[in-house]
Amino acid sequence: MSHETPATDRPLTTALAEAAGTASHAPSVHNTQPWRWTVLPDSLELRMARDRQLAATDPEGRLLAISCGTALHHARVALAAEGWTPVVERLPDPAQPDLLARLTGFRHTGADPEAMHLVQCMQVRHTDRRPVSEEPVPTAALGEIDRAATQEGVNLQLLDDDQKLQLATAAQHAAEVEAEDPQLREELAYWTSRAGTGTGLPPEVLPEQAPQTTVPARDFGRPGSLPVSPGHDRAAAYGILWGTEDEPDSWLRAGEGLSAAWLTATRLGVSLVPLSGVVEVEGTRQVLRQLLSGLGFPYLALRLGIADPTHAGPPHTPRLDAAQTVDTSAVRDQLS
């Protein structure tokens, strides 16, 4: 593979560093941002940041890997927007289980206009946990979001009305189980009191009261300051993101599929909210497996809807400084 850089373009190392920085916009469970990037002369490595893993909520690291997968997809899209196409090696070294991906073998293929649009979507994407409007999501939009996930090797099953009620019951049960666990409550309290650290969930992104939603939203243990309308999200669609394997590489791909679906939803004006509580409790995770007819493993539940136009979107969650998530020491003299 050629690493020749056309004279009109910036060096590959600059594109790699910038893509890793752009990936900081990716969503992550409780806004933990559990990723670390290493920029090398002709490759980019992604590692999980174990110090930002939710030890009580996510002991197996499933949500951590999904979160890192969203960052991986964001970086791939950012590179495509700059005209770079890499070979993506997932979990390339069994001796380094924390090394989730290596992007290497770069070809300069010309800027991808679709990717450029999705990079813009990264800047505006956010999580709005409030009820959505009474306007249903167009079938064509749901189809596009589904295809975006499928292209990343992940399935999205949309639920019918009976299945929505089963999901709602499972989510309620998961919330009750988690509310009784002091370690989970303590962990949630930690990540909702991180003001000024660049991570976690500040009050302004959390609803000031429980929103009226078909599937109960997570109880964060404290009220936020985000105003909630009296509406109900009856028009929302619900789905399960799933795959046929339940291993770290499939969790990583689930994150890539989540990112692709979410950026596509953002482009189409559709609000997407991931619901992870129902997969954090083993009993309710099994309920989701039954909703999938035992065909595969659920990674996340999703709510899709058209945001209420009478409310401005919530603010973006804070982000760590690039120096805390991107190591450029190996190429410092090459960056321009």
Side-chain angles (χ1 to χ4, degrees), residues 208-333:
E208 62 184 9
Q209 64 198 54
Q212 297 184 70
T213 54
T214 304
V215 176
R218 186 192 291 275
D219 179 0
F220 286 93
R222 65 179 71 196
S225 58
L226 185 65
V228 176
S229 71
H232 194 292
D233 71 345
R234 292 180 191 86
Y238 285 86
I240 299 173
L241 204 63
W242 67 279
T244 55
E245 303 291 335
D246 191 27
E247 302 296 334
D249 64 330
S250 51
W251 305 339
L252 188 67
R253 286 184 183 274
E256 293 175 88
L258 172 63
S259 169
W262 206 335
L263 293 177
T264 300
T266 302
R267 176 171 62 76
L268 297 169
V270 175
S271 166
L272 186 153
V273 178
L275 306 167
S276 61
V278 73
V279 297
E280 294 164 9
V281 174
E282 188 54 38
T284 53
R285 200 165 160 261
Q286 292 305 319
V287 171
L288 296 200
R289 281 207 73 187
Q290 291 164 14
L291 287 179
L292 299 171
S293 306
L295 294 174
F297 299 91
Y299 303 131
L300 283 174
L302 305 178
R303 185 193 77 175
L304 298 155
I306 305 297
D308 185 344
T310 61
H311 283 90
H316 289 86
T317 47
R319 287 295 183 268
L320 290 166
D321 186 70
Q324 296 173 268
T325 58
V326 184
D327 178 5
T328 58
S329 57
V331 296
R332 199 156 284 146
D333 59 341

Side-chain angles (χ1 to χ4, degrees), residues 1-334:
M1 296 280 182
S2 170
H3 301 301
E4 291 299 314
T5 307
T8 54
D9 290 303
R10 294 166 301 156
L12 172 60
T13 47
T14 302
L16 296 180
E18 290 191 356
T22 299
S24 69
H25 290 292
S28 56
V29 60
H30 295 356
N31 192 30
T32 47
Q33 302 162 60
W35 48 72
R36 286 204 175 89
W37 295 96
T38 305
V39 182
L40 299 170
D42 57 1
S43 63
L44 181 62
E45 293 183 342
L46 170 64
R47 287 176 174 78
M48 59 176 76
R50 290 281 185 188
D51 56 322
R52 293 196 288 277
Q53 179 175 354
L54 301 174
T57 306
D58 182 37
E60 294 176 313
R62 187 182 287 111
L63 296 174
L64 181 151
I66 290 173
S67 299
C68 288
T70 68
L72 174 58
H73 181 263
H74 270 49
R76 287 172 43 213
V77 171
L79 286 164
E82 289 286 320
W84 292 103
T85 302
V87 174
V88 182
E89 300 171 352
R90 294 171 182 83
L91 299 174
D93 185 354
Q96 297 185 68
D98 287 359
L99 176 59
L100 293 176
R102 180 184 292 128
L103 281 63
T104 186
F106 286 88
R107 291 177 298 125
H108 203 276
T109 48
D112 179 340
E114 165 89 357
M116 293 166 77
H117 194 172
L118 291 182
V119 168
Q120 293 174 335
C121 293
M122 292 176 197
Q123 325 281 339
V124 298
R125 183 211 60 78
H126 57 262
T127 307
D128 191 343
R129 297 174 176 83
R130 296 172 295 183
V132 291
S133 72
E134 295 293 321
E135 180 187 348
V137 182
T139 304
L142 291 172
E144 260 194 83
I145 294 165
D146 182 8
R147 282 192 296 278
T150 303
Q151 285 173 355
E152 297 299 325
V154 189
N155 304 294
L156 176 59
Q157 176 171 318
L158 294 170
L159 304 184
D160 62 29
D161 288 344
D162 286 345
Q163 292 171 326
K164 278 186 211 172
L165 292 176
Q166 291 177 66
L167 174 63
T169 302
Q172 182 63 44
H173 180 63
E176 291 165 359
V177 170
E178 295 198 325
E180 292 171 6
D181 186 318
Q183 287 181 304
L184 287 176
R185 289 204 310 271
E186 183 181 335
E187 191 168 72
L188 197 55
Y190 176 82
W191 288 102
T192 52
S193 58
R194 303 278 294 149
T197 66
T199 58
L201 300 168
E204 53 268 25
V205 304
L206 299 178
E208 62 184 9
Q209 64 198 54
Q212 297 184 70
T213 54
T214 304
V215 176
R218 186 192 291 275
D219 179 0
F220 286 93
R222 65 179 71 196
S225 58
L226 185 65
V228 176
S229 71
H232 194 292
D233 71 345
R234 292 180 191 86
Y238 285 86
I240 299 173
L241 204 63
W242 67 279
T244 55
E245 303 291 335
D246 191 27
E247 302 296 334
D249 64 330
S250 51
W251 305 339
L252 188 67
R253 286 184 183 274
E256 293 175 88
L258 172 63
S259 169
W262 206 335
L263 293 177
T264 300
T266 302
R267 176 171 62 76
L268 297 169
V270 175
S271 166
L272 186 153
V273 178
L275 306 167
S276 61
V278 73
V279 297
E280 294 164 9
V281 174
E282 188 54 38
T284 53
R285 200 165 160 261
Q286 292 305 319
V287 171
L288 296 200
R289 281 207 73 187
Q290 291 164 14
L291 287 179
L292 299 171
S293 306
L295 294 174
F297 299 91
Y299 303 131
L300 283 174
L302 305 178
R303 185 193 77 175
L304 298 155
I306 305 297
D308 185 344
T310 61
H311 283 90
H316 289 86
T317 47
R319 287 295 183 268
L320 290 166
D321 186 70
Q324 296 173 268
T325 58
V326 184
D327 178 5
T328 58
S329 57
V331 296
R332 199 156 284 146
D333 59 341
Q334 299 178 40

